[in-house]
């Protein structure tokens, strides 16, 4: 089977999950290479390109897709394995904005302080060396950070004929902004509409946990993925599986509700996978779990609850072993 390659032109990008016609039809077991643009649509290329001047709302955070997945129906789960995420340019950008980010006043946390200065940082992306080069704008400090590409935004159409802005994370996926969505991970998304309508974009060369300023090192990518429809198995909130761990994702405001959603789901998933009593699973997650924060700047915040498989008593294969199946399928298309 050949890879399906999708390279959108500018007017083909989507800015919502839901409310869009599909750009292509795919089947369970297909492998796709999807080209994505950065959150600024490639318009911010240097320090003089202030996003407020070169970008226009609501045309931010474009995603490629949606892809209609044959045989995907509400009540199913779509498994998406990320085989590779490759930067397609040798640079990335980040920025600060007035009234956006975790450490400034916003429309929802209103104060009398002056708005944050708008500023752009340009990062060199060296794929050969595997680094992203940070350069301070107010001094001569330069440091190489590990290149750790990730997909910031991935999801399916919400239910009830809703159309949700791609900037919003929620139960359908969306702008989850967690570095856990890197190559080698499988994300599980609950299907809410006929065909699922998968879309993705918003690549980052790297991002710190929490995405404090609201912007990662934004890049365009060529992302290769494999999909599988898991029939008759619902998934209420996005889940992630790697060779090492299983994870549940919660998105909400306030932050503690995102934490609660993620941990409630992980406790239930752990009990289901292992046969542990629910309170025993709660206790195990409490002592062995991790809770990396995805973002604290989007309309909803994102928290990931994770536990390493090594701590689980003979866990059953999640979703019938979909992660291992898709990893092997994707590897054959390298």
């Amino acid at each position: 089977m050949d890879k399906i390659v999708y390279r959108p032109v500018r007017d083909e990008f989507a800015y919502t999950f839901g409310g869009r016609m599909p750009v292509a039809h795919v089947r369970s077991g297909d492998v796709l290479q999807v080209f994505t643009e950065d959150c600024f649509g490639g318009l911010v290329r240097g320090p003089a390109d202030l996003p407020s001047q070169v970008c226009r709302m609501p045309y931010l955070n474009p995603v490629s897709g949606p892809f209609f997945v044959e045989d995907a129906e509400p009540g199913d789960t779509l498994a998406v394995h990320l085989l590779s995420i490759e930067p397609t340019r040798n640079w990335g950008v980040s920025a600060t904005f007035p009234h956006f980010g975790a450490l400034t006043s916003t429309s929802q946390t209103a104060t009398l302080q002056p708005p944050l200065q708008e500023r752009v940082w340009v990062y060199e992306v060296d794929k050969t060396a595997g680094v992203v080069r940070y350069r301070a704008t107010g001094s001569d400090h330069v440091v190489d950070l590990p290149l750790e590409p990730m997909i910031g935004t991935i999801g399916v159409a919400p239910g009830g004929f809703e159309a949700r802005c791609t900037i919003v994370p929620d139960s359908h996926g969306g702008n989850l902004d967690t570095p856990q969505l890197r190559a080698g991970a499988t994300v599980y998304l609950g299907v809410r509409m006929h065909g699922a309508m998968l879309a993705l974009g918003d690549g980052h060369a790297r991002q710190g946990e929490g995405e404090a300023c609201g912007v990662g090192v934004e890049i365009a990518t060529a992302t290769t993925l494999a999909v599988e429809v898991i029939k008759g198995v619902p998934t209420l909130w996005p889940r992630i599986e790697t060779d090492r761990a299983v994870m549940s994702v919660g998105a909400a405001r306030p932050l503690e509700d995102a934490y609660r959603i993620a941990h409630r789901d992980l406790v239930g998933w752990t009990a289901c996978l292992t046969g542990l009593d629910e309170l025993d699973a709660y206790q195990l997650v409490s002592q062995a779990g991790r809770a990396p924060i995805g973002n604290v700047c989007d309309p909803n915040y994102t928290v990931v609850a994770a536990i390493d498989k090594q701590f689980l008593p003979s866990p059953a294969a999640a979703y019938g072993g979909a992660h291992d199946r898709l990893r092997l399928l994707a590897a054959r298309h390298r």
Side-chain angles (χ1 to χ4, degrees), residues 53-65:
Q53 297 177 11
V54 301
C55 299
R56 182 165 59 95
M57 285 293 289
Y59 300 103
L60 289 170
N61 215 51
V63 293
S64 299

Side-chain angles (χ1 to χ4, degrees), residues 264-305:
R264 176 65 188 90
D265 189 77
L266 183 63
V267 167
W269 194 17
T270 297
C272 181
L273 288 175
T274 64
L276 282 173
D277 170 85
E278 186 174 69
L279 284 182
D280 283 335
Y282 183 25
Q283 178 64 207
L284 183 58
V285 168
S286 296
Q287 308 311 331
R290 292 173 282 117
I293 296 174
N295 88 84
V296 288
C297 52
D298 290 334
N300 285 331
Y301 299 155
T302 303
V303 173
V304 177

Side-chain angles (χ1 to χ4, degrees), residues 102-121:
L103 301 183
T104 184
S105 62
T106 69
S107 60
Q108 292 176 301
T109 305
T111 70
L112 293 175
Q113 71 190 71
L116 205 62
Q117 179 190 4
E118 188 171 10
R119 186 182 297 184
V120 171
W121 288 257

Side-chain angles (χ1 to χ4, degrees), residues 49-219:
D49 296 326
L50 298 181
S52 65
Q53 297 177 11
V54 301
C55 299
R56 182 165 59 95
M57 285 293 289
Y59 300 103
L60 289 170
N61 215 51
V63 293
S64 299
F67 300 95
F68 184 100
V69 184
E70 302 284 353
D71 202 33
E73 299 289 348
D76 298 337
T77 290
L78 182 65
V80 182
H81 181 76
L82 299 171
L83 171 62
S84 65
I85 305 169
E86 297 291 336
T88 56
R89 296 190 284 248
N90 63 1
W91 55 269
V93 294
S94 191
T96 51
F97 294 90
H99 306 302
F100 182 71
L103 301 183
T104 184
S105 62
T106 69
S107 60
Q108 292 176 301
T109 305
T111 70
L112 293 175
Q113 71 190 71
L116 205 62
Q117 179 190 4
E118 188 171 10
R119 186 182 297 184
V120 171
W121 288 257
V122 179
Y123 287 76
E124 299 168 45
V125 176
D126 188 335
K127 292 194 289 184
T128 301
V131 299
V132 178
R133 188 156 296 123
Y134 163 89
R135 294 183 184 275
T137 59
S139 71
D140 59 0
H141 182 57
V142 178
V143 63
D144 285 347
L145 307 173
L147 173 62
E148 296 177 343
M150 53 167 279
I151 287 295
T153 303
I154 186 169
V156 294
F161 301 106
E162 278 192 272
R164 302 294 300 276
C165 175
T166 56
I167 293 174
V168 181
D170 211 318
S171 58
H172 67 284
N175 194 22
L176 301 175
D177 275 335
T178 171
Q180 308 304 321
L181 289 172
R182 57 173 65 98
T186 300
V187 56
Y188 300 104
L189 299 163
V191 177
R192 290 155 169 79
M193 294 291 290
H194 177 56
M197 306 300 278
L198 172 70
L200 66 148
D202 182 30
H204 299 176
R206 65 168 296 109
Q207 176 206 300
E209 301 286 1
E211 198 182 27
C213 76
V215 189
V217 181
E218 308 290 336
I219 57 169

